[in-house]
Amino acid sequence: MEKILEKALKYHKLSKEEIIELLKNNSINDKIFNAADNTRKKYVGDEIHLRALIEFSNICKRNCFYCGVRSANKNIERYRLSPNDIITLAQNAIERGYKTIVLQSAEDEYYTAEVLAKIIKEIKKNDVAVTLSIGERSFDEYKVMKDAGADRFLLRIETTDKELYKKLHPNMDFDNRVQCLKNLKKLGYETGTGCLVGLPNQTIESLADDILFFKELDADMVGLGPLIPHKDTPLKDFPANGFELSLKVMAITRLLMPDINIPATTAMETIHPNGRIIALQSGANVLMPNFTDELHRNQYEIYPGKKSIDYTKLEEGFKKIGRTISKSKGFREKTT
Ligand code: 5AD
């Protein structure tokens, strides 16, 4: 175990078997988290990049088994924000000093690439980066939005276990999702992906494959977190016990991809009272505070109990763990 960790620290490369060994054996977890923290410090420093998250629509054409906004869920109010409302929320964040605006939504084709391009152009009149997280679209649509000024795109692969992917994502195609990620890279987006940890029948082997997939894709960002079962989904009775394992997948990802951006995800904070800080001390260097207005934020219920961030305490909390808030846009600075 110690030898594998040393190798990861030195070469940032491990075989699938070695990753499995680290994931399976819990005897040196603290050392793994510590090593990831040191790697984070050495490669991306003590600055935390804040990204303002705007959840602009929860109307979804998909029906993913774990997600509360799946189309089959009739128990939520659906909403769409107007372009003007989206821009106003972005403006609020920019006035507070945020340097990245993340536009996230369910898979809602109502917002065409052209409509989104207009919103992106308006936001890009300010000196900020724009990240999109709107799901699968065609190469041409991704291009329209890139040409409008979008800088980054988040599209989690969710799981690289094809069998499991098929079961959890009715009428979706794993290969198309991979193609989307390749298209995004080709178009010059900083590309983020990630996975869910603690899915039913998910194996340690497949989590090792997830990590290797991130590396193979050369993802610029990796966001991952534990499954939090939602009462209005088929996974409602499934246990929510993925915190420690998701932290480990994140830490190993940091060890193998030392210069990328890794968020301390909201799911980690939701499932564990101190999850955000623990993640920031186990490899994470990004935080995504929610800028959606309160009404719609609650309606964007992909999982229950979604934790928000108390801005007044944010900087204080960071100081205590020796971290500062970045004033830059926080692009990945490649070291290799
Ligand atoms: N628990 C945790 N994360 C979830 N996501 C969707 N549903 C859940 C859930 N029940 C994650 C998916 C998606 C991201 C926006 O939220 O990984 O990509």
Side-chain angles (χ1 to χ4, degrees), residues 156-262:
R156 288 188 182 176
I157 193 70
E158 312 294 2
T159 175
T160 55
D161 178 337
K162 286 192 186 189
E163 204 62 26
L164 184 58
Y165 186 92
K166 210 171 163 178
K167 281 194 190 135
L168 296 174
H169 305 98
N171 301 318
M172 287 177 76
D173 177 19
F174 179 84
D175 294 332
N176 188 59
R177 202 161 183 88
V178 174
Q179 189 58 51
C180 282
L181 285 164
K182 287 184 179 156
N183 289 346
L184 291 164
K185 284 230 97 170
K186 195 189 278 175
L187 285 163
Y189 282 94
E190 269 207 342
T191 303
T193 190
C195 62
L196 277 164
V197 179
L199 292 165
N201 299 316
Q202 188 177 38
T203 61
I204 292 288
E205 284 74 13
S206 85
L207 287 169
D209 280 332
D210 293 354
I211 297 171
L212 290 171
F213 174 82
F214 307 153
K215 190 145 171 99
E216 170 75 26
L217 178 73
D218 189 24
D220 302 296
M221 309 169 278
V222 172
L224 58 91
L227 169 76
I228 303 175
H230 187 291
K231 68 174 176 20
D232 298 315
T233 67
L235 302 192
K236 61 177 188 296
D237 296 322
F238 209 73
N241 55 8
F243 179 74
E244 188 86 355
L245 188 55
S246 61
L247 201 65
K248 239 169 131 177
V249 174
M250 188 194 80
I252 296 168
T253 301
R254 168 61 73 200
L255 287 169
L256 300 191
M257 306 179 77
D259 62 12
I260 66 167
N261 284 316
I262 299 181

